[in-house]
Amino acid sequence: MSNDRASTSPQQSGRLQVDAASKRFGHVAALSDVSLSVAAGEFVTILGPSGSGKTTLLKVIAGFEIADQGRVLIDQADITELDPAQRNIGMVFQNYALFPHMSVARNIAYPLAMRGTPKAEIATRVKQALDMVELGGMAERLPKQLSGGQQQRVALARATVFQPRLLLLDEPFGALDRKLREQMQIEVRRLQRRLGLTTLFITHDQEEALVMSDRIAVMDKGRVLQVGPPNEIYEAPANPFVADFIGESNIFAGVVEADGGNLLRVRLEQGPVIEVAGRADLAAHRGQRVRVMVRPERFVDLAADQNSVWANRIDGRVTDSAYIGVSDKYRVVTAEGIDVLMRLPSGPSSRRYSAGEAIAAGFHAADARLIAVQ
Amino acid sequence: MSGPGRRRGAGAGRILLRFVCGLIFAFLMLPLVVLFPISFSSGSYLRFPPPGFSLRWYARYFDDPTWIDATWRSLQVGTATTVLALLIGIPLAFGLARGRFRGRSVIENGISAPIIVPHIVISIAIYGLFSKLGLIGEWYGIAVAHTVLALPFVVIVLLSGLRDFDTSLELAARGLGAGPFEAARTVTLPILAPSVYSAAFLAFITSFDELVVAMFISGANMTLPKKMFDSIMSEIEPTVAAVSAMQIVLISALLLLGTWLRRPVTAPLVR
């Protein structure tokens, strides 16, 4: 094809590398020694609460802030101090940042015009971009005449029409309602795959991160705490912050009583002993204080399962129960006073408990994740 | 239910609001209703209602070179003041809105000093300085003095425009490939244009209508307000009414032009 400049070509996208970047604002360390690499065509999410430094990281990559230390590279080329206009990075802002005085078509043409693209080519590529985001009929509208979802698509078209080496998305779905949000998540991912575009996505919404990403980098207080695929982040959080920030969790504190092989016996502060799977990357020895996480959905109602052998057993009384549709959510307190959150599958075949009833639940040693050793 | 009751309450409120607005509007506009008929008076005195109608006071204005001279001088001074005030005010407003430097808030609060300090005090100060510099009686001297008076209005209007301006638009432009100058030309200034027009209009009016400073430093080369003042002092005849009527028409035209310039434009061409 002769017009392949305008069509999709996955190899155009770049490999991003952030190398030990640090940035201070006065006394606040917005980024401390952050390293991250994103492979060409990969979709990586930066997940963190507000103030975790994720927006600063994005600005350092886009060139709106310069890192005090460290480097930013795209395809091995050092862009740490390059002018933002020279970086060839597409960005979708939180509020879209569409130019209010320009029509949709002019907005999308802007990056091409700034690169001196010939008029005829601009026209074709703007039209292609509009078709891509299914806004063919909206070319002459002003941004304020569009719905939030449509504005979002214009922003996306504008950020990709010049075939950037990297796409940055800064919490782009924050202003959309839930349904539209889920639809846009799917659309953005589809578009990103089709264009083979290396993408860095910023969000504080852990569910969104789990749904969309190839890999997630969890940030807090200017540091990257863990990088990994969504299931790894969820199943095997590296530390208490990640365990607590992603999904619901029970976190128990205790002391290691025995550390034989890859199984630990931990005596919880409240008395009972549980079996916990050991971690190759986090050694815990007899006498050390540890913290252990169990996801609420890992508990199994022993009344419904008499056959299996359970390493750990919780006996308690339901204090609160809630029906969530896919599951029943219970707050259970044991005789020793341990507070446990459980999600048991709901349905015609499973029993429902109400507040005050006794309940017995089991969980495997492998479902108890060691998250901290002191 | 509270719904209909609340709606009725809102209706009463709206009627009251309209009534008060109408009253204020009438208070502001009635002088014009008096002024325009007097300007077409056939009588020789400022009197309302006029004894008959004629164009003699308009003719008198156009036939008298001192009136025409004064008018041209005022237009010249007003235009120069507008240009000077914008040239100083735009960078100043940008600096105050975007800059982080010591003394920023001092400058920002001090900027309205020329509005607060009585014009007569400013006039005396400027007279002292200008007489040393030989600027008395020169039209550009008046323009410089008027720029001092117009600057606060320009800066205040532009500052509020800049504070409302979403800086992520500028960042977006930069990230999409525009240099700093290009981003300002294609994004920041077009979006701020309404504020710039308002500021320009205020600067022009400040100068065009200014009497006190002009009395001190215009000397024999009178501006229009000075000429009007002299005219009232010496003879109470309707020429002043005719001049005022024309001034009002001119300013209204400028206001309409401003409204037209501020209309939402569909995309100035990018390059």
Side-chain angles (χ1 to χ4, degrees):
Chain A
M1 292 280 291
S2 58
N3 68 336
D4 61 1
R5 267 195 71 188
S7 69
T8 60
S9 47
Q11 67 273 18
Q12 90 210 2
S13 241
R15 177 186 137 77
L16 169 73
Q17 210 177 323
V18 179
D19 231 6
S22 295
K23 177 80 190 172
R24 300 184 69 86
F25 294 112
H27 298 292
V28 185
L31 292 180
S32 328
D33 198 27
V34 168
S35 293
L36 179 72
S37 75
V38 183
E42 197 182 17
F43 190 108
V44 171
T45 296
I46 313 280
L47 176 65
S50 52
S52 60
K54 54 192 195 306
T55 299
T56 306
L57 177 58
L58 202 73
K59 285 184 172 172
V60 163
I61 295 169
F64 303 142
E65 299 283 356
I66 306 287
D68 300 334
Q69 273 137 38
R71 297 188 306 162
V72 181
L73 303 108
I74 292 185
D75 290 332
Q76 321 294 340
D78 191 332
I79 61 161
T80 314
E81 292 183 25
L82 196 64
D83 189 87
Q86 310 295 322
R87 295 192 179 204
N88 227 11
I89 292 175
M91 178 156 171
V92 175
F93 288 74
Q94 209 165 353
N95 59 358
Y96 317 138
L98 296 178
F99 305 134
H101 58 303
M102 296 186 198
S103 67
V104 166
R106 293 278 180 208
N107 263 283
I108 299 175
Y110 191 86
L112 300 175
M114 286 300 139
R115 284 165 175 74
T117 312
K119 275 216 166 79
E121 195 187 332
I122 292 185
T124 358
R125 286 173 64 178
V126 167
K127 194 181 173 311
Q128 281 175 350
L130 278 168
D131 289 343
M132 181 183 74
V133 295
E134 291 164 13
L135 287 175
M138 305 284 178
E140 294 313 314
R141 301 270 184 99
L142 285 173
K144 68 173 179 213
Q145 296 168 313
L146 304 181
S147 71
Q150 289 169 332
Q151 291 184 17
Q152 169 87 78
R153 286 164 202 231
V154 175
L156 211 56
R158 187 179 70 175
T160 53
V161 70
F162 58 103
Q163 298 170 332
R165 292 183 292 178
L166 178 68
L167 178 63
L168 303 177
L169 304 167
D170 185 9
E171 307 218 21
F173 308 136
L176 305 179
D177 63 55
R178 192 186 169 87
K179 239 191 147 98
L180 195 54
R181 201 182 166 94
E182 284 170 2
Q183 187 191 332
M184 286 306 297
Q185 289 171 2
I186 295 168
E187 273 183 39
V188 164
R189 205 51 232 271
R190 193 181 294 151
L191 183 76
Q192 181 267 339
R193 282 213 182 90
R194 189 151 59 113
L195 300 178
L197 207 53
T198 312
T199 302
L200 206 57
F201 178 83
I202 292 232
T203 185
H204 63 266
D205 183 331
Q206 40 111 357
E207 213 177 300
E208 196 165 85
L210 293 173
V211 170
M212 295 188 73
S213 324
D214 290 328
R215 285 191 302 146
I216 297 173
V218 182
M219 281 190 77
D220 184 44
K221 300 195 177 103
R223 293 178 184 281
V224 172
L225 299 180
Q226 187 174 6
V227 187
N231 64 320
E232 195 180 302
I233 298 281
Y234 185 80
E235 308 286 348
N239 56 56
F241 180 85
V242 177
D244 193 42
F245 192 67
I246 317 284
E248 293 173 319
S249 56
N250 294 291
I251 296 178
F252 304 122
V255 177
V256 179
E257 280 204 340
D259 55 6
N262 43 19
L263 202 64
L264 307 170
R265 289 178 62 80
V266 175
R267 177 168 295 280
L268 300 185
E269 281 173 346
Q270 295 88 343
V273 176
I274 60 169
E275 286 188 3
V276 175
R279 260 174 77 177
D281 60 335
L282 189 65
H285 300 293
R286 196 183 144 83
Q288 281 186 300
R289 295 185 55 77
V290 295
R291 278 198 274 175
V292 174
M293 180 208 71
V294 184
R295 293 287 183 200
E297 69 275 12
R298 292 303 149 82
F299 294 96
V300 171
D301 182 5
L302 293 185
D305 181 305
Q306 265 111 20
N307 309 321
S308 314
V309 179
W310 298 93
N312 299 306
R313 182 185 164 107
I314 297 261
D315 284 285
R317 217 159 264 287
V318 173
T319 59
D320 291 289
S321 74
Y323 174 68
I324 325 252
V326 292
S327 62
D328 290 305
K329 192 166 161 180
Y330 297 107
R331 183 152 293 271
V332 174
V333 178
T334 67
E336 300 89 354
I338 309 175
D339 216 334
V340 186
L341 187 69
M342 297 182 188
R343 271 171 182 272
L344 302 178
S346 68
S349 59
S350 50
R351 169 159 179 214
R352 295 205 58 209
Y353 296 85
S354 37
E357 282 188 85
I359 188 170
F363 62 96
H364 293 296
D367 289 328
R369 166 82 177 172
L370 183 66
I371 51 171
V373 176
Q374 276 148 18
Chain B
M1 292 299 288
S2 65
R6 260 183 55 196
R7 197 168 304 149
R8 194 159 47 232
R14 196 170 302 140
I15 289 166
L16 184 69
L17 180 68
R18 279 186 188 162
F19 178 71
V20 172
C21 286
L23 220 59
I24 293 170
F25 185 77
F27 180 74
L28 292 174
M29 288 299 144
L30 274 176
L32 300 188
V33 174
V34 177
L35 178 73
F36 276 89
I38 292 181
S39 76
F40 289 105
S41 170
S42 59
S44 311
Y45 300 100
L46 283 170
R47 210 173 90 193
F48 188 81
F53 293 101
S54 81
L55 284 174
R56 58 189 280 212
W57 304 113
Y58 284 89
R60 180 163 178 141
Y61 165 82
F62 283 107
D63 287 342
D64 184 343
T66 61
W67 276 113
I68 301 298
D69 277 357
T71 307
W72 281 119
R73 192 164 297 110
S74 267
L75 288 173
Q76 197 176 14
V77 169
T79 308
T81 301
T82 308
V83 172
L84 276 176
L86 287 180
L87 281 180
I88 301 169
I90 291 177
L92 185 54
F94 263 90
L96 289 174
R98 302 274 178 86
R100 292 282 165 271
F101 54 89
R102 205 176 257 279
R104 194 179 58 88
S105 64
V106 176
I107 297 178
E108 197 181 326
N109 293 322
I111 200 75
S112 37
I115 302 178
I116 299 162
V117 178
H119 281 189
I120 195 110
V121 175
I122 298 177
S123 305
I124 292 168
I126 291 178
Y127 183 82
L129 180 67
F130 277 21
S131 55
K132 272 185 213 139
L133 298 173
L135 284 172
I136 304 292
E138 303 289 355
W139 70 269
Y140 47 84
I142 308 172
V144 168
H146 280 176
T147 301
V148 174
L149 302 181
L151 200 56
F153 294 108
V154 169
V155 172
I156 288 166
V157 167
L158 288 175
L159 256 184
S160 83
L162 272 169
R163 296 233 156 96
D164 288 341
F165 178 78
D166 176 7
T167 47
S168 71
L169 294 174
E170 218 170 86
L171 292 184
R174 298 279 285 114
L176 291 169
F181 173 75
E182 209 59 11
R185 189 181 71 80
T186 56
V187 173
T188 314
L189 285 177
I191 294 172
L192 284 177
S195 299
V196 176
Y197 297 142
S198 300
F201 178 73
L202 282 172
F204 184 82
I205 293 299
T206 303
S207 163
F208 196 65
D209 201 32
E210 203 285 330
L211 175 62
V212 180
V213 171
M215 281 182 46
F216 274 80
I217 63 173
S218 65
N221 297 316
M222 285 186 276
T223 61
L224 193 55
K226 172 88 189 314
K227 169 72 184 159
M228 289 166 79
F229 184 75
D230 283 2
S231 160
I232 290 179
M233 292 307 280
S234 54
E235 56 210 306
I236 302 182
E237 47 150 49
T239 315
V240 173
V243 175
S244 301
M246 284 186 285
Q247 267 187 323
I248 289 163
V249 170
L250 172 74
I251 288 166
S252 306
L254 283 179
L255 268 176
L256 286 177
L257 178 73
T259 316
W260 179 76
L261 285 172
R262 261 172 285 179
R263 81 204 184 282
V265 274
T266 331
L269 262 170
V270 175
R271 187 174 295 187

